[in-house]
mmCIF file with all atom_site columns, all heavy atoms in Angstrom:
data_model
loop_
_atom_site.group_PDB
_atom_site.id
_atom_site.type_symbol
_atom_site.label_atom_id
_atom_site.label_alt_id
_atom_site.label_comp_id
_atom_site.label_asym_id
_atom_site.label_entity_id
_atom_site.label_seq_id
_atom_site.pdbx_PDB_ins_code
_atom_site.Cartn_x
_atom_site.Cartn_y
_atom_site.Cartn_z
_atom_site.occupancy
_atom_site.B_iso_or_equiv
_atom_site.pdbx_formal_charge
_atom_site.auth_seq_id
_atom_site.auth_comp_id
_atom_site.auth_asym_id
_atom_site.auth_atom_id
_atom_site.pdbx_PDB_model_num
ATOM 1   N N   . ALA A 1 44 ? -8.084  33.821 30.487 1.00 0.00 ? 211 ALA A N   1
ATOM 2   C CA  . ALA A 1 44 ? -7.385  34.960 31.078 1.00 0.00 ? 211 ALA A CA  1
ATOM 3   C C   . ALA A 1 44 ? -6.130  34.552 31.842 1.00 0.00 ? 211 ALA A C   1
ATOM 4   O O   . ALA A 1 44 ? -5.943  33.391 32.228 1.00 0.00 ? 211 ALA A O   1
ATOM 5   C CB  . ALA A 1 44 ? -8.325  35.724 32.014 1.00 0.00 ? 211 ALA A CB  1
ATOM 6   N N   . ILE A 1 45 ? -5.286  35.566 32.059 1.00 0.00 ? 212 ILE A N   1
ATOM 7   C CA  . ILE A 1 45 ? -4.160  35.523 32.995 1.00 0.00 ? 212 ILE A CA  1
ATOM 8   C C   . ILE A 1 45 ? -4.529  36.462 34.137 1.00 0.00 ? 212 ILE A C   1
ATOM 9   O O   . ILE A 1 45 ? -4.960  37.591 33.887 1.00 0.00 ? 212 ILE A O   1
ATOM 10  C CB  . ILE A 1 45 ? -2.859  35.999 32.328 1.00 0.00 ? 212 ILE A CB  1
ATOM 11  C CG1 . ILE A 1 45 ? -2.506  35.112 31.130 1.00 0.00 ? 212 ILE A CG1 1
ATOM 12  C CG2 . ILE A 1 45 ? -1.714  36.041 33.336 1.00 0.00 ? 212 ILE A CG2 1
ATOM 13  C CD1 . ILE A 1 45 ? -1.462  35.729 30.220 1.00 0.00 ? 212 ILE A CD1 1
ATOM 14  N N   . GLU A 1 46 ? -4.386  36.007 35.373 1.00 0.00 ? 213 GLU A N   1
ATOM 15  C CA  . GLU A 1 46 ? -4.806  36.833 36.511 1.00 0.00 ? 213 GLU A CA  1
ATOM 16  C C   . GLU A 1 46 ? -3.718  36.865 37.574 1.00 0.00 ? 213 GLU A C   1
ATOM 17  O O   . GLU A 1 46 ? -3.104  35.841 37.879 1.00 0.00 ? 213 GLU A O   1
ATOM 18  C CB  . GLU A 1 46 ? -6.113  36.302 37.098 1.00 0.00 ? 213 GLU A CB  1
ATOM 19  C CG  . GLU A 1 46 ? -6.799  37.271 38.042 1.00 0.00 ? 213 GLU A CG  1
ATOM 20  C CD  . GLU A 1 46 ? -8.295  37.044 38.122 1.00 0.00 ? 213 GLU A CD  1
ATOM 21  O OE1 . GLU A 1 46 ? -8.753  35.911 37.848 1.00 0.00 ? 213 GLU A OE1 1
ATOM 22  O OE2 . GLU A 1 46 ? -9.033  37.993 38.445 1.00 0.00 ? 213 GLU A OE2 1
ATOM 23  N N   . VAL A 1 47 ? -3.467  38.069 38.112 1.00 0.00 ? 214 VAL A N   1
ATOM 24  C CA  . VAL A 1 47 ? -2.472  38.266 39.162 1.00 0.00 ? 214 VAL A CA  1
ATOM 25  C C   . VAL A 1 47 ? -3.185  38.410 40.500 1.00 0.00 ? 214 VAL A C   1
ATOM 26  O O   . VAL A 1 47 ? -4.163  39.154 40.617 1.00 0.00 ? 214 VAL A O   1
ATOM 27  C CB  . VAL A 1 47 ? -1.613  39.518 38.898 1.00 0.00 ? 214 VAL A CB  1
ATOM 28  C CG1 . VAL A 1 47 ? -0.540  39.668 39.986 1.00 0.00 ? 214 VAL A CG1 1
ATOM 29  C CG2 . VAL A 1 47 ? -0.966  39.442 37.527 1.00 0.00 ? 214 VAL A CG2 1
ATOM 30  N N   . TYR A 1 48 ? -2.674  37.707 41.518 1.00 0.00 ? 215 TYR A N   1
ATOM 31  C CA  . TYR A 1 48 ? -3.242  37.767 42.861 1.00 0.00 ? 215 TYR A CA  1
ATOM 32  C C   . TYR A 1 48 ? -2.206  38.260 43.863 1.00 0.00 ? 215 TYR A C   1
ATOM 33  O O   . TYR A 1 48 ? -1.009  38.012 43.701 1.00 0.00 ? 215 TYR A O   1
ATOM 34  C CB  . TYR A 1 48 ? -3.734  36.384 43.305 1.00 0.00 ? 215 TYR A CB  1
ATOM 35  C CG  . TYR A 1 48 ? -5.058  35.974 42.699 1.00 0.00 ? 215 TYR A CG  1
ATOM 36  C CD1 . TYR A 1 48 ? -5.117  35.375 41.444 1.00 0.00 ? 215 TYR A CD1 1
ATOM 37  C CD2 . TYR A 1 48 ? -6.251  36.172 43.396 1.00 0.00 ? 215 TYR A CD2 1
ATOM 38  C CE1 . TYR A 1 48 ? -6.333  34.981 40.897 1.00 0.00 ? 215 TYR A CE1 1
ATOM 39  C CE2 . TYR A 1 48 ? -7.471  35.784 42.853 1.00 0.00 ? 215 TYR A CE2 1
ATOM 40  C CZ  . TYR A 1 48 ? -7.505  35.192 41.612 1.00 0.00 ? 215 TYR A CZ  1
ATOM 41  O OH  . TYR A 1 48 ? -8.708  34.818 41.076 1.00 0.00 ? 215 TYR A OH  1
ATOM 42  N N   . GLU A 1 49 ? -2.710  38.922 44.900 1.00 0.00 ? 216 GLU A N   1
ATOM 43  C CA  . GLU A 1 49 ? -1.874  39.338 46.018 1.00 0.00 ? 216 GLU A CA  1
ATOM 44  C C   . GLU A 1 49 ? -2.313  38.581 47.270 1.00 0.00 ? 216 GLU A C   1
ATOM 45  O O   . GLU A 1 49 ? -3.505  38.489 47.575 1.00 0.00 ? 216 GLU A O   1
ATOM 46  C CB  . GLU A 1 49 ? -1.985  40.839 46.276 1.00 0.00 ? 216 GLU A CB  1
ATOM 47  C CG  . GLU A 1 49 ? -1.127  41.306 47.439 1.00 0.00 ? 216 GLU A CG  1
ATOM 48  C CD  . GLU A 1 49 ? -1.213  42.807 47.670 1.00 0.00 ? 216 GLU A CD  1
ATOM 49  O OE1 . GLU A 1 49 ? -2.118  43.445 47.090 1.00 0.00 ? 216 GLU A OE1 1
ATOM 50  O OE2 . GLU A 1 49 ? -0.386  43.335 48.426 1.00 0.00 ? 216 GLU A OE2 1
ATOM 51  N N   . VAL A 1 50 ? -1.340  38.022 47.998 1.00 0.00 ? 217 VAL A N   1
ATOM 52  C CA  . VAL A 1 50 ? -1.608  37.269 49.217 1.00 0.00 ? 217 VAL A CA  1
ATOM 53  C C   . VAL A 1 50 ? -1.519  38.196 50.416 1.00 0.00 ? 217 VAL A C   1
ATOM 54  O O   . VAL A 1 50 ? -0.579  38.985 50.545 1.00 0.00 ? 217 VAL A O   1
ATOM 55  C CB  . VAL A 1 50 ? -0.607  36.108 49.381 1.00 0.00 ? 217 VAL A CB  1
ATOM 56  C CG1 . VAL A 1 50 ? -0.848  35.363 50.693 1.00 0.00 ? 217 VAL A CG1 1
ATOM 57  C CG2 . VAL A 1 50 ? -0.699  35.158 48.203 1.00 0.00 ? 217 VAL A CG2 1
ATOM 58  N N   . LYS A 1 51 ? -2.501  38.106 51.296 1.00 0.00 ? 218 LYS A N   1
ATOM 59  C CA  . LYS A 1 51 ? -2.510  38.891 52.527 1.00 0.00 ? 218 LYS A CA  1
ATOM 60  C C   . LYS A 1 51 ? -2.935  37.998 53.681 1.00 0.00 ? 218 LYS A C   1
ATOM 61  O O   . LYS A 1 51 ? -3.579  36.973 53.483 1.00 0.00 ? 218 LYS A O   1
ATOM 62  C CB  . LYS A 1 51 ? -3.483  40.079 52.411 1.00 0.00 ? 218 LYS A CB  1
ATOM 63  C CG  . LYS A 1 51 ? -3.107  41.103 51.371 1.00 0.00 ? 218 LYS A CG  1
ATOM 64  C CD  . LYS A 1 51 ? -4.130  42.228 51.333 1.00 0.00 ? 218 LYS A CD  1
ATOM 65  C CE  . LYS A 1 51 ? -3.764  43.274 50.288 1.00 0.00 ? 218 LYS A CE  1
ATOM 66  N NZ  . LYS A 1 51 ? -4.764  44.367 50.217 1.00 0.00 ? 218 LYS A NZ  1
ATOM 67  N N   . GLN A 1 52 ? -2.568  38.402 54.886 1.00 0.00 ? 219 GLN A N   1
ATOM 68  C CA  . GLN A 1 52 ? -2.988  37.685 56.073 1.00 0.00 ? 219 GLN A CA  1
ATOM 69  C C   . GLN A 1 52 ? -3.972  38.544 56.853 1.00 0.00 ? 219 GLN A C   1
ATOM 70  O O   . GLN A 1 52 ? -3.659  39.668 57.245 1.00 0.00 ? 219 GLN A O   1
ATOM 71  C CB  . GLN A 1 52 ? -1.789  37.328 56.952 1.00 0.00 ? 219 GLN A CB  1
ATOM 72  C CG  . GLN A 1 52 ? -2.146  36.379 58.065 1.00 0.00 ? 219 GLN A CG  1
ATOM 73  C CD  . GLN A 1 52 ? -0.957  35.632 58.626 1.00 0.00 ? 219 GLN A CD  1
ATOM 74  O OE1 . GLN A 1 52 ? -1.110  34.889 59.572 1.00 0.00 ? 219 GLN A OE1 1
ATOM 75  N NE2 . GLN A 1 52 ? 0.232   35.800 58.057 1.00 0.00 ? 219 GLN A NE2 1
ATOM 76  N N   . THR A 1 53 ? -5.160  38.024 57.056 1.00 0.00 ? 220 THR A N   1
ATOM 77  C CA  . THR A 1 53 ? -6.219  38.729 57.775 1.00 0.00 ? 220 THR A CA  1
ATOM 78  C C   . THR A 1 53 ? -6.778  37.819 58.849 1.00 0.00 ? 220 THR A C   1
ATOM 79  O O   . THR A 1 53 ? -7.224  36.703 58.549 1.00 0.00 ? 220 THR A O   1
ATOM 80  C CB  . THR A 1 53 ? -7.349  39.150 56.813 1.00 0.00 ? 220 THR A CB  1
ATOM 81  O OG1 . THR A 1 53 ? -6.795  39.946 55.757 1.00 0.00 ? 220 THR A OG1 1
ATOM 82  C CG2 . THR A 1 53 ? -8.409  39.955 57.542 1.00 0.00 ? 220 THR A CG2 1
ATOM 83  N N   . ASP A 1 54 ? -6.737  38.294 60.099 1.00 0.00 ? 221 ASP A N   1
ATOM 84  C CA  . ASP A 1 54 ? -7.238  37.495 61.228 1.00 0.00 ? 221 ASP A CA  1
ATOM 85  C C   . ASP A 1 54 ? -6.598  36.114 61.244 1.00 0.00 ? 221 ASP A C   1
ATOM 86  O O   . ASP A 1 54 ? -7.265  35.086 61.400 1.00 0.00 ? 221 ASP A O   1
ATOM 87  C CB  . ASP A 1 54 ? -8.763  37.372 61.171 1.00 0.00 ? 221 ASP A CB  1
ATOM 88  C CG  . ASP A 1 54 ? -9.469  38.718 61.267 1.00 0.00 ? 221 ASP A CG  1
ATOM 89  O OD1 . ASP A 1 54 ? -8.933  39.601 61.961 1.00 0.00 ? 221 ASP A OD1 1
ATOM 90  O OD2 . ASP A 1 54 ? -10.531 38.878 60.642 1.00 0.00 ? 221 ASP A OD2 1
ATOM 91  N N   . ASN A 1 55 ? -5.251  36.103 61.044 1.00 0.00 ? 222 ASN A N   1
ATOM 92  C CA  . ASN A 1 55 ? -4.472  34.860 61.057 1.00 0.00 ? 222 ASN A CA  1
ATOM 93  C C   . ASN A 1 55 ? -4.896  33.879 59.965 1.00 0.00 ? 222 ASN A C   1
ATOM 94  O O   . ASN A 1 55 ? -4.683  32.668 60.076 1.00 0.00 ? 222 ASN A O   1
ATOM 95  C CB  . ASN A 1 55 ? -4.572  34.171 62.423 1.00 0.00 ? 222 ASN A CB  1
ATOM 96  C CG  . ASN A 1 55 ? -3.915  34.983 63.520 1.00 0.00 ? 222 ASN A CG  1
ATOM 97  O OD1 . ASN A 1 55 ? -2.854  35.578 63.309 1.00 0.00 ? 222 ASN A OD1 1
ATOM 98  N ND2 . ASN A 1 55 ? -4.539  35.015 64.684 1.00 0.00 ? 222 ASN A ND2 1
ATOM 99  N N   . LYS A 1 56 ? -5.494  34.398 58.920 1.00 0.00 ? 223 LYS A N   1
ATOM 100 C CA  . LYS A 1 56 ? -5.909  33.566 57.799 1.00 0.00 ? 223 LYS A CA  1
ATOM 101 C C   . LYS A 1 56 ? -5.410  34.178 56.502 1.00 0.00 ? 223 LYS A C   1
ATOM 102 O O   . LYS A 1 56 ? -5.511  35.395 56.300 1.00 0.00 ? 223 LYS A O   1
ATOM 103 C CB  . LYS A 1 56 ? -7.437  33.450 57.773 1.00 0.00 ? 223 LYS A CB  1
ATOM 104 C CG  . LYS A 1 56 ? -7.976  32.622 56.616 1.00 0.00 ? 223 LYS A CG  1
ATOM 105 C CD  . LYS A 1 56 ? -9.498  32.599 56.625 1.00 0.00 ? 223 LYS A CD  1
ATOM 106 C CE  . LYS A 1 56 ? -10.036 31.801 55.450 1.00 0.00 ? 223 LYS A CE  1
ATOM 107 N NZ  . LYS A 1 56 ? -11.518 31.788 55.407 1.00 0.00 ? 223 LYS A NZ  1
ATOM 108 N N   . LEU A 1 57 ? -4.840  33.349 55.631 1.00 0.00 ? 224 LEU A N   1
ATOM 109 C CA  . LEU A 1 57 ? -4.363  33.837 54.347 1.00 0.00 ? 224 LEU A CA  1
ATOM 110 C C   . LEU A 1 57 ? -5.510  33.920 53.352 1.00 0.00 ? 224 LEU A C   1
ATOM 111 O O   . LEU A 1 57 ? -6.322  33.006 53.239 1.00 0.00 ? 224 LEU A O   1
ATOM 112 C CB  . LEU A 1 57 ? -3.283  32.907 53.785 1.00 0.00 ? 224 LEU A CB  1
ATOM 113 C CG  . LEU A 1 57 ? -1.918  32.924 54.457 1.00 0.00 ? 224 LEU A CG  1
ATOM 114 C CD1 . LEU A 1 57 ? -0.976  31.980 53.736 1.00 0.00 ? 224 LEU A CD1 1
ATOM 115 C CD2 . LEU A 1 57 ? -1.335  34.325 54.498 1.00 0.00 ? 224 LEU A CD2 1
ATOM 116 N N   . ILE A 1 58 ? -5.554  35.032 52.630 1.00 0.00 ? 225 ILE A N   1
ATOM 117 C CA  . ILE A 1 58 ? -6.499  35.202 51.534 1.00 0.00 ? 225 ILE A CA  1
ATOM 118 C C   . ILE A 1 58 ? -5.739  35.792 50.354 1.00 0.00 ? 225 ILE A C   1
ATOM 119 O O   . ILE A 1 58 ? -4.640  36.328 50.511 1.00 0.00 ? 225 ILE A O   1
ATOM 120 C CB  . ILE A 1 58 ? -7.683  36.118 51.913 1.00 0.00 ? 225 ILE A CB  1
ATOM 121 C CG1 . ILE A 1 58 ? -7.162  37.522 52.290 1.00 0.00 ? 225 ILE A CG1 1
ATOM 122 C CG2 . ILE A 1 58 ? -8.505  35.516 53.040 1.00 0.00 ? 225 ILE A CG2 1
ATOM 123 C CD1 . ILE A 1 58 ? -8.276  38.538 52.462 1.00 0.00 ? 225 ILE A CD1 1
ATOM 124 N N   . ALA A 1 59 ? -6.295  35.681 49.177 1.00 0.00 ? 226 ALA A N   1
ATOM 125 C CA  . ALA A 1 59 ? -5.691  36.271 47.983 1.00 0.00 ? 226 ALA A CA  1
ATOM 126 C C   . ALA A 1 59 ? -6.752  37.035 47.220 1.00 0.00 ? 226 ALA A C   1
ATOM 127 O O   . ALA A 1 59 ? -7.881  36.556 47.048 1.00 0.00 ? 226 ALA A O   1
ATOM 128 C CB  . ALA A 1 59 ? -5.075  35.192 47.102 1.00 0.00 ? 226 ALA A CB  1
ATOM 129 N N   . SER A 1 60 ? -6.396  38.213 46.768 1.00 0.00 ? 227 SER A N   1
ATOM 130 C CA  . SER A 1 60 ? -7.331  39.034 46.004 1.00 0.00 ? 227 SER A CA  1
ATOM 131 C C   . SER A 1 60 ? -6.728  39.362 44.644 1.00 0.00 ? 227 SER A C   1
ATOM 132 O O   . SER A 1 60 ? -5.516  39.564 44.514 1.00 0.00 ? 227 SER A O   1
ATOM 133 C CB  . SER A 1 60 ? -7.661  40.327 46.755 1.00 0.00 ? 227 SER A CB  1
ATOM 134 O OG  . SER A 1 60 ? -6.481  41.024 47.094 1.00 0.00 ? 227 SER A OG  1
ATOM 135 N N   . SER A 1 61 ? -7.575  39.405 43.631 1.00 0.00 ? 228 SER A N   1
ATOM 136 C CA  . SER A 1 61 ? -7.130  39.702 42.275 1.00 0.00 ? 228 SER A CA  1
ATOM 137 C C   . SER A 1 61 ? -6.761  41.182 42.160 1.00 0.00 ? 228 SER A C   1
ATOM 138 O O   . SER A 1 61 ? -7.518  42.056 42.585 1.00 0.00 ? 228 SER A O   1
ATOM 139 C CB  . SER A 1 61 ? -8.236  39.372 41.275 1.00 0.00 ? 228 SER A CB  1
ATOM 140 O OG  . SER A 1 61 ? -7.870  39.789 39.979 1.00 0.00 ? 228 SER A OG  1
ATOM 141 N N   . ILE A 1 62 ? -5.593  41.451 41.581 1.00 0.00 ? 229 ILE A N   1
ATOM 142 C CA  . ILE A 1 62 ? -5.165  42.842 41.388 1.00 0.00 ? 229 ILE A CA  1
ATOM 143 C C   . ILE A 1 62 ? -4.902  43.151 39.913 1.00 0.00 ? 229 ILE A C   1
ATOM 144 O O   . ILE A 1 62 ? -4.426  44.230 39.579 1.00 0.00 ? 229 ILE A O   1
ATOM 145 C CB  . ILE A 1 62 ? -3.922  43.180 42.229 1.00 0.00 ? 229 ILE A CB  1
ATOM 146 C CG1 . ILE A 1 62 ? -2.743  42.277 41.852 1.00 0.00 ? 229 ILE A CG1 1
ATOM 147 C CG2 . ILE A 1 62 ? -4.229  43.080 43.721 1.00 0.00 ? 229 ILE A CG2 1
ATOM 148 C CD1 . ILE A 1 62 ? -1.434  42.690 42.503 1.00 0.00 ? 229 ILE A CD1 1
ATOM 149 N N   . GLY A 1 63 ? -5.208  42.209 39.028 1.00 0.00 ? 230 GLY A N   1
ATOM 150 C CA  . GLY A 1 63 ? -5.013  42.479 37.608 1.00 0.00 ? 230 GLY A CA  1
ATOM 151 C C   . GLY A 1 63 ? -5.363  41.282 36.761 1.00 0.00 ? 230 GLY A C   1
ATOM 152 O O   . GLY A 1 63 ? -5.181  40.130 37.175 1.00 0.00 ? 230 GLY A O   1
ATOM 153 N N   . ARG A 1 64 ? -5.895  41.542 35.578 1.00 0.00 ? 231 ARG A N   1
ATOM 154 C CA  . ARG A 1 64 ? -6.288  40.463 34.675 1.00 0.00 ? 231 ARG A CA  1
ATOM 155 C C   . ARG A 1 64 ? -6.005  40.869 33.240 1.00 0.00 ? 231 ARG A C   1
ATOM 156 O O   . ARG A 1 64 ? -6.153  42.027 32.868 1.00 0.00 ? 231 ARG A O   1
ATOM 157 C CB  . ARG A 1 64 ? -7.771  40.122 34.845 1.00 0.00 ? 231 ARG A CB  1
ATOM 158 C CG  . ARG A 1 64 ? -8.284  39.073 33.868 1.00 0.00 ? 231 ARG A CG  1
ATOM 159 C CD  . ARG A 1 64 ? -9.771  38.804 34.015 1.00 0.00 ? 231 ARG A CD  1
ATOM 160 N NE  . ARG A 1 64 ? -10.069 37.986 35.182 1.00 0.00 ? 231 ARG A NE  1
ATOM 161 C CZ  . ARG A 1 64 ? -11.207 37.329 35.338 1.00 0.00 ? 231 ARG A CZ  1
ATOM 162 N NH1 . ARG A 1 64 ? -12.166 37.410 34.420 1.00 0.00 ? 231 ARG A NH1 1
ATOM 163 N NH2 . ARG A 1 64 ? -11.408 36.608 36.416 1.00 0.00 ? 231 ARG A NH2 1
ATOM 164 N N   . HIS A 1 65 ? -5.586  39.885 32.438 1.00 0.00 ? 232 HIS A N   1
ATOM 165 C CA  . HIS A 1 65 ? -5.368  40.092 31.010 1.00 0.00 ? 232 HIS A CA  1
ATOM 166 C C   . HIS A 1 65 ? -6.166  39.040 30.247 1.00 0.00 ? 232 HIS A C   1
ATOM 167 O O   . HIS A 1 65 ? -5.986  37.841 30.441 1.00 0.00 ? 232 HIS A O   1
ATOM 168 C CB  . HIS A 1 65 ? -3.881  39.974 30.667 1.00 0.00 ? 232 HIS A CB  1
ATOM 169 C CG  . HIS A 1 65 ? -3.584  40.145 29.203 1.00 0.00 ? 232 HIS A CG  1
ATOM 170 N ND1 . HIS A 1 65 ? -3.401  41.381 28.624 1.00 0.00 ? 232 HIS A ND1 1
ATOM 171 C CD2 . HIS A 1 65 ? -3.444  39.231 28.209 1.00 0.00 ? 232 HIS A CD2 1
ATOM 172 C CE1 . HIS A 1 65 ? -3.153  41.220 27.335 1.00 0.00 ? 232 HIS A CE1 1
ATOM 173 N NE2 . HIS A 1 65 ? -3.175  39.930 27.067 1.00 0.00 ? 232 HIS A NE2 1
ATOM 174 N N   . ASP A 1 66 ? -7.057  39.481 29.368 1.00 0.00 ? 233 ASP A N   1
ATOM 175 C CA  . ASP A 1 66 ? -7.889  38.576 28.583 1.00 0.00 ? 233 ASP A CA  1
ATOM 176 C C   . ASP A 1 66 ? -7.074  37.991 27.431 1.00 0.00 ? 233 ASP A C   1
ATOM 177 O O   . ASP A 1 66 ? -6.393  38.731 26.716 1.00 0.00 ? 233 ASP A O   1
ATOM 178 C CB  . ASP A 1 66 ? -9.102  39.340 28.033 1.00 0.00 ? 233 ASP A CB  1
ATOM 179 C CG  . ASP A 1 66 ? -10.171 38.421 27.464 1.00 0.00 ? 233 ASP A CG  1
ATOM 180 O OD1 . ASP A 1 66 ? -9.862  37.693 26.498 1.00 0.00 ? 233 ASP A OD1 1
ATOM 181 O OD2 . ASP A 1 66 ? -11.303 38.432 27.980 1.00 0.00 ? 233 ASP A OD2 1
#
Side-chain angles (χ1 to χ4, degrees):
I212 300 165
E213 194 154 24
V214 182
Y215 282 85
E216 180 179 13
V217 177
K218 296 180 180 179
Q219 190 159 176
T220 304
D221 299 327
N222 294 320
K223 179 182 179 182
L224 288 182
I225 61 171
S227 54
S228 174
I229 60 172
R231 176 183 284 198
H232 179 85
D233 193 299

